[in-house]
Amino acid sequence: MLLKPSNFKVNEAWIAFKLNDAPVYTEADGDFNVIALMDAASCFILSTEFVHANSSEPSKLESKRLLKGGQSHKQCFPKKLFIPDDQAAGILSIEAEQNGIAVVRVPEQELVVFIGEARQGFQEHVSGARVQ
């Protein structure tokens, strides 16, 4: 099945992905990656977490905050969470499954239809920008 937004109802499935191509630099704390949680039907970004670039994946606390941020929009969790298969997300997967969410690992290329525009917009927003 080809994945596309019209295949889903709002809050049926979420996508967790790295929003940035290159780490986001902050003077105070160094480099970070931005992990975003998106609704698959609406392509709305539900929540984001800044994860230190030295970390291979979001911590337990960061994973919980990401999921709770998403839950705060609809007061429930989705049935599925899609995660690119090349993205380290073992802790996030465990946290999702503990909340009754089925985790589906897929090639990132299958998610570009959802996440491509968000990544492009983020790149345009932060290109050359320094975060204090």
Side-chain angles (χ1 to χ4, degrees):
M1 170 174 109
L2 181 65
L3 295 176
K4 56 187 176 186
S6 62
N7 291 352
F8 301 98
K9 293 182 178 100
V10 170
N11 214 49
E12 177 183 356
W14 292 348
I15 302 165
F17 65 101
K18 189 169 82 165
L19 194 54
N20 56 300
D21 288 333
V24 176
Y25 171 78
T26 66
E27 276 187 37
D29 298 308
D31 293 344
F32 288 86
N33 288 314
V34 183
I35 306 301
L37 192 63
M38 173 185 279
D39 178 73
S42 65
C43 295
F44 179 78
I45 301 280
L46 300 164
S47 67
T48 56
E49 274 298 313
F50 279 69
V51 176
H52 205 278
N54 292 339
S55 301
S56 61
E57 66 177 304
S59 69
K60 184 172 184 162
L61 178 62
E62 291 162 341
S63 297
K64 284 181 183 240
R65 282 196 308 231
L66 192 66
L67 293 170
K68 291 293 181 193
Q71 181 193 30
S72 71
H73 287 275
K74 294 290 182 184
Q75 307 310 313
C76 64
F77 288 112
K79 294 178 179 133
K80 291 183 183 174
L81 175 64
F82 291 98
I83 304 173
D85 56 12
D86 64 345
Q87 182 173 309
I91 296 168
L92 178 59
S93 296
I94 290 167
E95 289 301 317
E97 289 168 349
Q98 287 177 346
N99 284 290
I101 306 167
V103 175
V104 181
R105 300 300 296 243
V106 297
E108 186 170 296
Q109 192 58 37
E110 291 184 29
L111 299 174
V112 170
V113 67
F114 300 93
I115 66 178
E117 193 174 312
R119 276 191 174 154
Q120 182 179 351
F122 183 79
Q123 290 308 114
E124 290 170 5
H125 180 73
V126 299
S127 60
R130 297 261 185 217
V131 179
Q132 295 297 319

